[in-house]
Amino acid sequence: MRIVAAGALLIGAGWVGAAAPDQPSVGTRYPATSPHSEPVALRVESFTVPPSSQPLVFVVAKNLQNVPYQGTLTIKAPEGWRLAPLERQFALKPGETRRVPFTIERGSSVQCNSYPVEVSATGAGATVVRRQDVVCASAPYFNPTIDGDPSEWKDAIPVTFTSGGRKTIISTYWNRRQFSILVAVEEQELIRYRAGPTPEPFDAVQIALSPPDTQTGNSPDDQATRFEFLFVAAGTAGTARAPTRSVGRPWSAGRCFQLASPGMKLAEAAKERRLEPLQCEKATVAVSRTATVTYYECGIPFSLMGGQIRPSEGREFCLSVLVHDPDGTGIRDWGQAAGLWPWQRNPLAWSRFPGAKWGENPPFDNKLPWGLCSSIY
Amino acid sequence: MIREHIHPLMPWTLALTAAVAGLALASGRLVAADDAWSTPPATPKGNVVIKTVMAVDEEEQPQAAGKAAAEALRKAMGGVPLKAVIVSECFEDKQAKLKLLEGIASVLPTEILLGGATYGSFTQAGCSDLDSVSLLGIGGEGVSVAAALVTDLGTSKLVFEEHQPEIERRLHAAGAKLAGKLRTTKLDRLLILIPDAHSPKNQFIVEGVQQVVGGQFPITGGCVNKNAGQTFVYFRGRPYEDSAVALMLSGDLKVSLAGRQAKENDQVISTAREAAAEAATKLKTRPIAALAFDCAGRKGRLKNVADELAAVQQAIGQELPLFGCYCAGEIGPLDTTEKKPGVLSGGGGWHVMFTLIGQ
């Protein structure tokens, strides 16, 4: 029996050189298995409602072998929690990925929104262990004023991750008409977007929202399944298009560009396109700044998503976020912080645009679970 | 357009109904205080009429929707004066909710309106969410009702993890106070509890009520919508925040309760069917109405929301008046390993709490 502690290995630098077997990039073929030798890969998905509401927690397991896998899955939750069942038998065909649910019968939410869990699978002569800090990725119901003022976001559920020593905090709200997001980016300086034939690198937040149960295609000819937006700081204070009130802090009008919609060819979305024709007037963006933090506050009408994401309590969808910090950390990727496997990087998952400074490797896939909940109270 | 969903077999009634109900109340038959009221004792073997209606507002006219629903309920009661009306509404903000209540109260006596904001409703006619209202009307000489309100729970902005002991203490006290305000009779049969106490807080208010009525007494109900700006319970036609209401049904009634928990599409559907079937099996008499306090989270897991209703209908048919609503926590027989022995009802989440009322 081998014990393989897979925890940090899977999300650290050890992945470099591996890539997505299920999701080949343009012109690149990836190896069929992970470079690691464990029989299964494991990860735990984010909760989509607060743990005190006793949701399901899903463990995702992938058989990395060319033979069937049979094993026992156990999950260790934070102290004081009770999960049921204590263990689950599961079987996977070669290469198969499956979500295995456990019920949180007793759980508690914490303000830092980070929950250490340990999941292990015993089978095929090995025990694979993965430790993760799982978050609750969920938007409470609220209708914020989009003005760059973060004070209205205290009842959101902040998702915090650190890249290159800098923090990013994603907070979300929803109401019947609009999905709202506040991304707080710790960075040295804010570089604004300036339209032009060859834009210089600029700071931005890129998000992808997708209906539940969708996947990013494997081929450039496949169709996109995401609504993708880019938020940037533009203009100067007082020139806002939409922000409605000043809050005594430097803020500027933001701009939103819609980069992709379901039905687009993935190859088209992945091609670098000029931003100006992609301006999305219906979305509202305000960008404000404190000494070291830039706040991107954005409202996206659900009507832009054609009913494919239903604004209703308890509904799930997919959301991922890239932060562009070209003069600092480079790309910050929620997919990486959420523990996607190294081979789930996928250049077809995100659109390209002039002025972006991409890393050596493509970002991770954009299909991360997110929920619409009612309240933290 | 206001769409009314009325059960096809519901008898239509005379326009005099509201006048009769209003006269009965106006003539002093309702014993009332600001925070509690009751109707005269039930007549043994008297008839009991329970009807449901639902209206969907497609024109952003909540007042008209409320009026339409109230008129439909009045007709559905077939001339039987109403003793209590439970409101389940899902409108966006307080202004719309007040308009809705105004519309209902323009037809029905304000004093007998109680209920709460929910995440939607369902009846035999279908399921609804935003901009809809469902009414449950209770009448007939065979049933008596007592209602009570408790305000200032002091827990609506407390977070469970940080303030659990305080929440427990406050809701135990509030539950006991609420139950203590209800007139009691030997024919008390079912307590319907509608608090602002999102699961898992709801367990504590149930325990508080049980300090007065006992652990074996049938209690069902649902917690009101917790969306910001939408959290209201209703009593005597007025909205209250951070409050709870209770309605006791008394008479020659039989009730059977069943609760099931589920968190995934297929299980949500099958457990709804099982809960309804279990309640039907246990009732041992002719059912006259069904109540289903269902979790909004369960609704969120359904690929097709109507599938759960269809499953319920497989168990109870399509003719029995059904009052269902989607809640922020449910009250009834828990389907968890933490269920306390010897205690019938508790407060939880992810449940459908199904009750059949028979005579």
Side-chain angles (χ1 to χ4, degrees), chain A residues 52-54 141 313-314 374, chain B residues 92 119 161 227 263 301 350:
Chain A
S52 58
S53 304
Q54 303 165 351
Y141 186 99
E313 300 79 8
S374 187
Chain B
E92 184 78 2
Y119 301 101
E161 290 71 21
N227 290 350
K263 301 176 183 180
R301 293 294 181 273
W350 300 96

Side-chain angles (χ1 to χ4, degrees), chain A residues 287-301:
Chain A
V287 182
S288 67
R289 174 98 181 135
T290 60
T292 57
V293 179
T294 306
Y295 296 93
Y296 295 84
E297 188 180 29
C298 322
I300 304 166

Side-chain angles (χ1 to χ4, degrees), chain A residues 102-166:
Chain A
F102 288 81
T103 297
I104 298 175
E105 288 197 335
R106 190 194 302 137
S108 57
S109 308
V110 293
Q111 205 164 11
C112 69
N113 190 26
S114 178
Y115 306 92
V117 298
E118 180 183 296
V119 59
S120 57
T122 301
T127 294
V128 177
V129 181
R130 178 155 194 200
R131 294 177 193 92
Q132 252 182 279
D133 288 325
V134 178
V135 302
C136 171
S138 195
Y141 186 99
F142 193 78
N143 186 14
T145 304
I146 304 298
D147 57 4
D149 178 5
S151 66
E152 278 188 313
W153 290 80
K154 61 181 173 31
D155 289 342
I157 302 171
V159 170
T160 305
F161 65 99
T162 302
S163 312
R166 297 284 188 168

